[in-house]
Amino acid sequence: MVNDNEYLEHHLGSLLTTAGTDLGEQTAVAPEVVKRARRRIDVDELFTGVRQCNRTLMSRAITLLESTAPAHRVLAQELLVKLLPFSGNALRVGITGVPGVGKSTFIEALGMKLIADGHKLAVLAIDPSSTKTRGSILGDKTRMAKLAREDNAFIRPSPSAGTLGGVAKATRESMVVFEAAGFDVILVETVGVGQSEVAVSQMVDCFTFLALAGAGDQLQGIKKGVLEMADLVAINKADGSNLKNAKRAARELAAAMRMVRPEDSLWHPPTITMSAVEHEGIEEFWTHVTEHHTAMLESGKFEHNRREQQVQWMWSMVHETLLQRLNTDPDVVETRKLVESQLREAQITPTLAAERILSAFDKNNT
Ligand code: GDP
């Protein structure tokens, strides 16, 4: 496991880069605004509550981290800096798959097993659909009802506002809260929408992919990019009349995985079949996850990956912040109207239009 101090240093390095530069904010937050927020939010109380694993205060801490209000962002960074020395000790596992593949059924079955084994489990979701429609595929609290009642489980739905970058940031920061509260397994769930799988793969130690046996072409609809990222592939619903089909799909996917990841000598991502409803293959799934963990730890790749993830985290924050600034810059907003209409009328070229937008942006930012 990464040494605490080194881990803190890396975390702080990236956090301090962004502290005080709120997403969408170009100026520092006025001290009186922060002071007002401080009257309602007690960072020390939240810190103590998280460390004591107080569920109400953990929820409030995460709500603070999810907030985009500038004053809240300042307090959120203060809380994070306090919590960071106590974070980093959970095994973080990503789970992706299309809606209906059986993610919540599986996570509930796996979660109950992990709790019975003595683990403390947090389940987080990244659901980009919820940021667009305000309704969500994953965020529904009634999913995993049994697991949600367990004292040693905490299920947090995806934030329902913000860009994918913003949601990913909130999820990463929530992981710090759960780890500081003593949770030792974190499952991050996502649907295969847009870039959400990439975002999840960049914040976990083991990335798993749930698939279904299709009719005819078994690999239809499975993105090569997902296979490239996956450390473990599981064909779910391998039960009843579907069992044979699932086994065949697993053989085909295993062959595809060997083609996609031929050079990977450290870890050959296994392809298994399972049935979340019949609780078949759940143990095997977890055995592979722990074997992967051991292989990564022993080779030093675990630590390397976590450090690289800090760098990726920083850059995704930089990209997110820049994009927000670009979109809200008053000169850009003005110029945009003009050049878009000129473009539609074929009066200028896209290259020239892009230059105009960027010089409008540079005016306020150089
Ligand atoms: P999610 O959208 O990926 O979270 O999928 P759900 O867990 O909600 O499952 C979608 C449907 O598939 C539900 O009706 C489940 O009961 C069913 N399901 C989930 N896992 C299995 C399985 O292993 N076998 C079978 N036959 N059905 C399953």
Side-chain angles (χ1 to χ4, degrees):
M1 201 66 47
V2 184
N3 167 292
D4 263 357
N5 284 336
E6 284 177 285
Y7 193 71
L8 175 65
E9 204 179 300
H10 276 261
H11 260 310
L12 280 178
S14 54
L15 272 173
L16 293 179
T17 320
T18 52
T21 57
D22 296 291
L23 299 183
E25 287 293 307
Q26 292 189 39
T27 49
V29 190
E32 59 273 21
V33 180
V34 178
K35 211 167 140 192
R36 260 204 312 277
R38 226 181 268 290
R39 276 190 222 125
R40 280 170 288 111
I41 299 165
D42 182 343
V43 173
D44 287 331
E45 183 197 25
L46 291 178
F47 168 74
T48 312
V50 168
R51 290 291 290 144
Q52 291 170 346
C53 200
N54 174 315
R55 297 175 81 91
T56 310
L57 290 172
M58 278 165 61
S59 290
R60 285 203 349 230
I62 295 169
T63 304
L64 176 65
L65 296 175
E66 288 173 358
S67 172
T68 50
H72 290 171
R73 295 295 316 278
V74 173
L75 300 184
Q77 292 303 316
E78 282 178 19
L79 177 63
L80 274 180
V81 168
K82 278 170 161 288
L83 292 174
L84 277 167
F86 305 99
S87 72
N89 291 321
L91 179 57
R92 307 162 182 171
V93 180
I95 297 174
T96 189
V98 294
V101 71
K103 290 182 296 303
S104 53
T105 312
F106 168 66
I107 291 172
E108 179 145 271
L110 174 66
M112 295 307 284
K113 173 208 140 45
L114 292 176
I115 288 169
D117 290 350
H119 291 288
K120 278 179 78 167
L121 169 76
V123 180
L124 304 174
I126 291 193
D127 181 357
S129 63
S130 66
T131 64
K132 290 208 178 80
T133 60
R134 293 265 169 167
S136 69
I137 301 172
L138 289 178
D140 183 353
K141 268 203 167 162
T142 57
R143 299 165 80 237
M144 307 170 215
K146 209 167 142 202
L147 193 59
R149 284 197 299 273
E150 291 291 326
D151 281 343
N152 285 329
F154 200 114
I155 301 170
R156 181 81 185 183
S158 180
S160 60
T163 57
L164 172 62
V167 171
K169 171 191 154 295
T171 309
R172 280 188 144 119
E173 294 180 348
S174 301
M175 298 208 294
V176 173
V177 169
F178 286 116
E179 290 178 348
F183 287 75
D184 65 339
V185 178
I186 298 179
L187 302 181
V188 187
E189 177 190 13
T190 193
V191 274
V193 177
Q195 291 292 303
S196 69
E197 286 150 336
V198 177
V200 171
S201 75
Q202 287 176 352
M203 63 176 79
V204 296
D205 307 312
C206 181
F207 186 70
T208 70
F209 172 51
L210 267 49
L212 290 177
D217 179 0
Q218 305 297 337
L219 300 181
Q220 205 171 20
I222 293 176
K223 292 182 275 181
K224 185 166 164 265
V226 175
L227 297 184
E228 280 166 356
M229 292 185 285
D231 298 306
L232 169 60
V233 178
I235 310 283
N236 192 33
K237 307 197 185 181
D239 46 45
S241 58
N242 201 31
L243 183 61
K244 227 169 108 189
N245 207 8
K247 295 264 182 223
R248 195 177 62 225
R251 280 195 299 277
E252 290 184 20
L253 255 181
M257 283 301 277
R258 280 193 291 277
M259 276 162 64
V260 171
R261 305 268 289 264
E263 76 294 346
D264 212 332
S265 56
L266 199 62
W267 178 252
H268 297 288
T271 305
I272 64 167
T273 54
M274 65 181 193
S275 168
V277 282
E278 295 187 356
H279 292 208
E280 283 289 331
I282 312 281
E283 289 280 346
E284 189 188 354
F285 181 98
W286 193 247
T287 301
H288 285 303
V289 170
T290 51
E291 280 172 4
H292 175 259
H293 185 207
T294 307
M296 294 296 112
L297 277 177
E298 284 173 356
S299 65
K301 192 111 191 286
F302 184 88
E303 194 173 330
H304 172 83
N305 283 350
R306 284 215 170 169
R307 283 164 191 263
E308 284 307 304
Q309 286 176 354
Q310 296 298 307
V311 177
Q312 284 163 348
W313 184 359
M314 177 195 73
W315 279 112
S316 69
M317 292 288 295
V318 170
H319 291 160
E320 177 79 5
T321 309
L322 271 181
L323 207 57
Q324 292 269 355
R325 285 188 188 173
L326 181 76
N327 288 336
T328 53
D329 184 289
D331 283 328
V332 170
V333 173
E334 264 310 298
T335 309
R336 180 183 171 159
K337 280 187 220 144
L338 182 69
V339 296
E340 280 185 3
S341 81
Q342 287 177 332
L343 265 175
R344 290 196 182 96
E345 304 291 325
Q347 289 168 352
I348 51 171
T349 63
T351 307
L352 197 57
E355 272 170 23
R356 296 240 170 101
I357 296 271
L358 289 171
S359 45
F361 183 63
D362 286 342
K363 226 164 49 178
N364 293 327
N365 291 283
T366 45

